[in-house]
């Protein structure tokens, strides 16, 4: 990087730090605004891994510091006690593994602990950030706006690829890093269709595809709360965009994962929410339209089914079997299965020392690193969040808040499912978006309690800038 760019980056970083320290809530917005540019920053710093730390240094660290220095936060968070107990036990297990395992005293253990724990406090930060429905709506609107950047870029890359300009369209944004971002410009021939690895504005195609499927959640929340006609139309357009972007991202699993997520949301809302699942049905219609118009349907169905079987045997069962056999009852040390460990030492030497083994299975990674106790902690955390989320949502009087809770629960169910096939919670953007959304779920009971006593006499005070939903007024 040139001296001018370096100086400008330092000045910009100082300004971001100062703004977040002055008002910590700006850090939440900065995190959402920065995310679509993650891959561009990483590519600019490549081959140095420092680009992966820019977000943490410039946004997350000052956000945590400023938040910790703000008084009287605990009474505004509503973090469930069970969540605190499980996370505390998990953190203690990670600390013990980092202290006495094969990776103890090394940067591998430090990085492994960071990947497991660093973003969990975002749940508390987001819970304190949300003061009423308008805060949720404004945050979701920001998600929706920023989501257009990577999705639009990804679709343009895909259009270039299908017009025989695959390499050029990716290199236009990522430069020399394009080969890494596409895993060597990989493309799959499925019947009469060709599926290209598209990274969008992210570091890898896997991160981009997971961002696209995650974006379904804030879009649905925004549409559920929205009172502005223009914003509502923009939300529907965004839903079409993110579904199309997910299916053209080159992740073949999206043809299975996306309808799975929509089906979970629909099933949960059918049980608890009032009214129909028109938003979910709309998403499924877009999914079907894209598949019918752009892909060889019969070959695609056969290919995805075959891939699901192969992944089930090789990654789900095979990965867990490998972790049990090689990790033993206590694991080989925190960080040993963390892909980012390759940045803190020579990969070949780490493999020889048994300090670097990659398994695309989050549960297997937990067992490999921390043994049976780590595996149990991960299972317990997922199960607790699912059942606690359903319980929280079922008790909410406000139908809008109830649906928001169920959408977040669907996210947890989806992550519990997808974690058997990869480490989405170790990678951008789900590594921090997951905990951010959980913070919203945890705050919903307090919002519901604040709304209930006010009835219909003070709707503006209760919702601030957000207009009351008709169902709220009828109560």
């Amino acid at each position: 990087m040139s001296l001018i760019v370096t100086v400008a980056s330092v000045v910009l970083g100082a300004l971001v730090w100062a703004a977040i320290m002055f008002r910590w809530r700006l850090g939440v917005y900065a995190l959402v605004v920065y995310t679509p540019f993650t891959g561009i920053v990483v590519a600019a710093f490549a081959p140095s891994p420092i680009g992966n730390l820019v977000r943490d240094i410039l946004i997350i660290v000052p956000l945590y510091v400023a938040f910790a220095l703000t008084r009287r936060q605990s009474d505004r968070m509503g973090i469930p006690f069970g969540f605190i107990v499980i996370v505390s036990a998990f953190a203690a297990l990670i600390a013990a593994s980092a202290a006495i395992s094969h990776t103890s005293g090394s940067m591998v253990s430090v990085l492994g602990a960071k990947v497991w724990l660093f973003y969990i406090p975002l749940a508390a930060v987001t819970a304190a950030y949300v003061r009423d429905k308008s805060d949720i709506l404004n945050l979701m609107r920001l998600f929706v706006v920023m989501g257009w950047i990577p999705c639009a870029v990804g679709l343009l890359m895909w259009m270039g690829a299908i017009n025989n300009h695959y390499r050029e369209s990716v290199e236009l944004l990522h430069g020399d890093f394009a080969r890494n971002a596409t895993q060597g410009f990989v493309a799959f021939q499925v019947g009469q269709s060709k599926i290209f690895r598209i990274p969008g504005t992210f570091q890898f195609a896997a991160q981009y595809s997971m961002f696209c499927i995650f974006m379904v959640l804030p879009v649905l929340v925004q549409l559920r709360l929205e009172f502005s006609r223009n914003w509502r139309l923009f939300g529907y357009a965004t839903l079409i965009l993110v579904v199309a972007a997910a299916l053209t991202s080159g992740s073949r699993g999206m043809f299975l994962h996306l309808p799975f997520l929509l089906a979970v949301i629909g099933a949960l809302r059918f049980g608890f929410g009032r009214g129909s699942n028109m938003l979910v049905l709309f998403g499924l219609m877009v999914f079907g339209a894209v598949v019918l118009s752009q892909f060889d349907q019969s070959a695609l169905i056969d290919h995805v089914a075959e891939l699901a079987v192969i992944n089930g045997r090789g990654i789900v069962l095979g990965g867990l079997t490998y972790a049990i056999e090689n990790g033993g009852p206590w694991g080989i040390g925190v960080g040993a299965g963390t892909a980012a460990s390759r940045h803190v030492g020579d990969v070949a030497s780490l493999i020889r020392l048994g300090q670097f083994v990659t398994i695309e299975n989050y549960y297997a990674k937990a067992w490999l690193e921390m043994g049976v106790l780590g595996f149990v902690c991960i299972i317990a955390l997922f199960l607790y969040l699912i059942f606690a989320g359903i319980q929280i949502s079922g008790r909410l009087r406000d139908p809008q808040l109830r649906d928001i809770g169920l959408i977040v629960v669907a996210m947890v169910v989806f992550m519990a499912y997808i974690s058997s096939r990869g480490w989405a919670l170790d990678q951008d953007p789900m590594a921090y978006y997951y905990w951010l959304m959980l913070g919203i779920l945890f705050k919903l009971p307090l919002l519901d309690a604040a709304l209930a006593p006010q009835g219909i006499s003070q709707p503006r005070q209760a919702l601030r800038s957000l207009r009351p939903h008709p169902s709220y007024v009828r109560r």
Side-chain angles (χ1 to χ4, degrees), residues 224-404:
R224 188 66 181 92
L225 290 175
E226 196 57 73
F227 58 85
S228 167
R229 180 177 179 273
N230 291 336
W231 273 105
R232 182 173 291 277
L233 292 174
F234 187 68
Y236 278 108
T238 306
L239 185 57
I240 295 173
L241 177 77
V242 299
V243 171
L247 297 180
T248 57
S249 65
S251 175
R252 293 165 292 173
M254 288 299 108
F255 296 96
L256 177 63
H257 304 332
L258 183 57
F260 175 83
L261 174 62
L262 292 172
V264 171
I265 296 173
L268 289 172
R269 289 191 66 219
F270 181 78
F272 292 93
R274 289 179 60 187
S276 65
N277 280 301
M278 291 304 298
L279 292 177
V280 175
L281 291 175
F282 180 73
L284 289 171
M285 289 170 61
V286 176
F287 173 88
V290 174
V291 171
L292 290 174
S293 63
Q294 297 296 332
F295 299 98
D296 185 336
Q297 300 88 43
S298 59
L300 182 64
I301 292 173
D302 293 339
H303 182 74
V304 171
E306 181 181 356
L307 184 66
V309 173
I310 293 173
N311 288 343
R313 293 174 179 172
I315 298 178
V316 181
L317 298 178
L320 191 57
T321 300
Y322 179 89
I324 294 172
E325 292 175 350
N326 291 270
W330 308 114
I332 61 177
V334 63
T338 301
S341 295
R342 68 187 186 277
H343 295 307
V344 296
D346 178 65
V347 174
S349 63
L350 291 175
I351 293 175
R352 286 195 301 271
L353 295 172
Q355 295 182 353
F356 183 63
V357 182
T358 56
I359 306 175
E360 291 189 66
N361 183 325
Y362 198 67
Y363 304 102
K365 176 198 166 190
W367 191 304
L368 181 72
E369 293 191 0
M370 292 165 286
V372 63
L373 294 179
F375 177 78
V376 169
C377 280
I378 291 298
I379 294 292
L381 185 57
F382 275 128
L383 290 178
Y384 173 80
L385 290 173
I386 291 172
F387 288 108
I390 291 175
Q391 186 179 47
I392 289 172
S393 303
R395 291 178 176 176
L396 298 176
R397 300 183 183 91
D398 188 284
Q400 290 181 318
L401 297 180
R402 186 186 305 124
D403 280 350
I404 293 172

Side-chain angles (χ1 to χ4, degrees), residues 33-44:
V33 170
Y34 174 83
T35 294
F37 304 101
T38 301
I40 300 174
V41 174
V42 171

Side-chain angles (χ1 to χ4, degrees), residues 34-379:
Y34 174 83
T35 294
F37 304 101
T38 301
I40 300 174
V41 174
V42 171
F45 281 94
S48 170
I50 192 66
N52 294 287
L53 299 176
V54 170
R55 174 194 57 252
D56 298 340
I57 295 172
L58 294 188
I59 299 176
I60 301 296
V61 171
L63 174 59
Y64 285 170
V65 172
F67 178 75
L69 294 176
T70 303
R71 296 181 179 180
R72 298 187 63 184
Q73 295 286 22
S74 60
D75 59 342
R76 297 163 51 190
M77 293 186 295
I79 305 299
F81 180 71
F83 176 77
I84 296 174
V85 169
I86 296 175
V87 169
S88 298
F90 189 47
L93 178 61
I94 290 174
S97 176
I100 63 177
S101 67
H102 293 96
T103 61
S104 62
S106 68
M107 284 300 297
V108 172
S109 63
V110 173
L111 185 58
K114 183 263 182 186
V115 170
W116 280 113
L117 299 173
F118 185 66
Y119 297 111
I120 295 179
L122 282 174
V125 173
T126 310
Y129 159 86
V130 174
R131 297 167 299 189
D132 49 39
K133 286 184 180 181
S134 65
D135 283 337
I136 300 177
L137 178 60
N138 290 334
L139 186 61
M140 295 303 108
R141 283 176 172 176
L142 183 61
F143 266 116
V144 169
V145 171
M146 298 308 300
W148 275 76
I149 297 174
C151 292
V153 169
L155 284 173
L156 289 174
M157 286 182 178
W158 175 74
M159 291 178 186
I162 63 176
N163 288 287
N164 300 317
H165 300 292
Y166 179 26
R167 182 168 185 157
E168 293 83 354
S169 62
V170 180
E171 286 181 340
L172 185 64
L173 181 67
H174 291 277
D176 294 337
F177 192 76
R179 178 169 294 276
N180 290 339
T182 57
Q183 295 178 302
F185 300 103
V186 171
F188 305 94
Q189 190 70 42
V190 180
Q192 301 299 315
S193 304
K194 205 165 188 179
I195 299 177
F196 304 89
R197 291 283 195 210
I198 302 295
T201 60
F202 284 88
Q203 184 180 358
F204 297 113
Q207 296 175 350
Y208 168 62
S209 63
M210 195 54 59
F211 173 84
C212 293
I213 198 169
F214 165 81
M215 276 301 301
V216 172
L217 305 170
V219 170
L220 292 181
V221 172
Q222 181 249 333
L223 287 172
R224 188 66 181 92
L225 290 175
E226 196 57 73
F227 58 85
S228 167
R229 180 177 179 273
N230 291 336
W231 273 105
R232 182 173 291 277
L233 292 174
F234 187 68
Y236 278 108
T238 306
L239 185 57
I240 295 173
L241 177 77
V242 299
V243 171
L247 297 180
T248 57
S249 65
S251 175
R252 293 165 292 173
M254 288 299 108
F255 296 96
L256 177 63
H257 304 332
L258 183 57
F260 175 83
L261 174 62
L262 292 172
V264 171
I265 296 173
L268 289 172
R269 289 191 66 219
F270 181 78
F272 292 93
R274 289 179 60 187
S276 65
N277 280 301
M278 291 304 298
L279 292 177
V280 175
L281 291 175
F282 180 73
L284 289 171
M285 289 170 61
V286 176
F287 173 88
V290 174
V291 171
L292 290 174
S293 63
Q294 297 296 332
F295 299 98
D296 185 336
Q297 300 88 43
S298 59
L300 182 64
I301 292 173
D302 293 339
H303 182 74
V304 171
E306 181 181 356
L307 184 66
V309 173
I310 293 173
N311 288 343
R313 293 174 179 172
I315 298 178
V316 181
L317 298 178
L320 191 57
T321 300
Y322 179 89
I324 294 172
E325 292 175 350
N326 291 270
W330 308 114
I332 61 177
V334 63
T338 301
S341 295
R342 68 187 186 277
H343 295 307
V344 296
D346 178 65
V347 174
S349 63
L350 291 175
I351 293 175
R352 286 195 301 271
L353 295 172
Q355 295 182 353
F356 183 63
V357 182
T358 56
I359 306 175
E360 291 189 66
N361 183 325
Y362 198 67
Y363 304 102
K365 176 198 166 190
W367 191 304
L368 181 72
E369 293 191 0
M370 292 165 286
V372 63
L373 294 179
F375 177 78
V376 169
C377 280
I378 291 298
I379 294 292

